[in-house]
Amino acid sequence: MLPEPIKNLVDQLSKLPEIGPRAATRLAFFMLNQPDDYLKDFARAIEELKQKTKVCQNCFNLTTDTACVICSDTRRDQNTICVVEDILDIIPIERTKRYNGVYHILGGLIAPIEGLTPEKLRIKELENRIKNLQQKDKNKTVEIILAFNPTTEGDTTALYLQRVLSSLGIKITRLGRGLSTGSDLEYTDETTLINAFLGRR
Ligand SMILES: [Zn+2]
């Protein structure tokens, strides 16, 4: 019933999370009524999304350069590494404006039932990163802050990392206090997060 171009757009929009066919149709008609310039900008933003987005070779954050804005910021302490499950976990921590170290994105948490074994995560990369830092300056301590959600997977991953990294002679702490079991870092308020950082052990 719908003309082909509208139907095509509705089909694409329906694939987005939380967008059903009715919402997709509404959006398609909304866009049909927008100025050409807006639609061109919109199309270009989508086209460039994957073309221009790269992964930081140091921490695996997203970037448009070789190193991300956090890793290339010389005012940040490169010897304090906050290890997180994924990129979205960086956002609430950065929002607190109280963390001055860098990050390491693991790319998941250990969950053997879902096939997520330690080898599938960026643990080797973390080890190499720590070793490189230690080689660069032997007198500086490296601190690893494990900032995982307080879930079974978070606990398993923290215990695993504490075990494999213990031989490297670094300080390993974990966020904990104030974060209730099963809660999600992404939705944790700033005060709770700041307290969890201050109370890390
Ligand atoms: Zn980075």
Side-chain angles (χ1 to χ4, degrees):
M1 181 217 124
L2 290 172
E4 195 68 22
I6 299 180
K7 196 183 165 296
N8 285 344
L9 184 58
V10 171
D11 286 348
Q12 294 304 329
L13 291 169
S14 310
K15 291 178 188 163
L16 296 173
E18 286 162 53
I19 304 282
R22 277 177 64 184
T25 311
R26 270 203 306 274
L27 281 172
F29 278 98
F30 168 82
M31 286 166 109
L32 190 62
N33 289 316
Q34 297 310 302
D36 285 1
D37 281 351
Y38 167 77
L39 292 181
K40 271 183 200 146
D41 288 347
F42 194 91
R44 194 172 47 237
I46 292 175
E47 204 178 315
E48 289 178 350
L49 182 66
K50 282 200 108 169
Q51 281 173 1
K52 294 198 175 171
T53 310
K54 296 181 217 161
V55 172
C56 174
Q57 291 310 299
N58 196 39
C59 73
F60 302 95
N61 187 8
L62 292 176
T63 175
T64 49
D65 257 306
T66 331
C68 73
V69 279
I70 295 172
C71 287
S72 40
D73 186 343
T74 49
R75 288 163 303 181
R76 297 188 78 127
D77 177 11
Q78 302 288 331
N79 277 48
T80 303
I81 305 174
C82 179
V83 185
V84 293
E85 176 185 353
D86 64 40
I87 290 163
L88 290 176
D89 292 329
I90 292 184
I91 301 164
I93 299 173
E94 283 299 289
R95 214 181 283 138
T96 66
K97 295 191 175 72
R98 295 285 285 273
Y99 177 64
N100 193 41
V102 291
Y103 296 92
H104 187 87
I105 293 137
L106 221 47
L109 293 175
I110 300 172
I113 308 163
E114 290 161 45
L116 275 171
T117 52
E119 305 77 57
K120 297 229 169 95
L121 308 176
R122 300 185 189 109
I123 295 174
K124 266 273 158 289
E125 288 87 344
L126 177 63
E127 280 186 73
N128 291 337
R129 207 175 149 186
I130 296 168
K131 284 176 190 161
N132 284 339
L133 284 171
Q134 288 176 324
Q135 262 170 13
K136 228 193 251 172
D137 192 342
K138 286 192 176 69
N139 300 317
K140 256 189 173 172
T141 357
V142 176
E143 181 181 358
I144 298 295
I145 303 166
L146 305 173
F148 305 137
N149 294 332
T151 56
T152 313
E153 290 81 15
D155 291 345
T156 310
T157 312
L159 286 171
Y160 181 85
L161 286 178
Q162 274 159 347
R163 191 160 54 80
V164 295
L165 301 177
S166 64
S167 60
L168 295 174
I170 54 168
K171 186 179 174 191
I172 306 172
T173 53
R174 183 172 182 201
L175 298 194
R177 210 174 61 174
L179 296 178
S180 49
T181 308
S183 69
D184 196 324
L185 224 57
E186 211 186 318
Y187 303 107
T188 304
D189 68 272
E190 283 157 41
T191 317
T192 310
L193 212 48
I194 290 170
N195 286 335
F197 260 93
L198 293 174
R200 67 183 188 263
R201 60 206 141 107

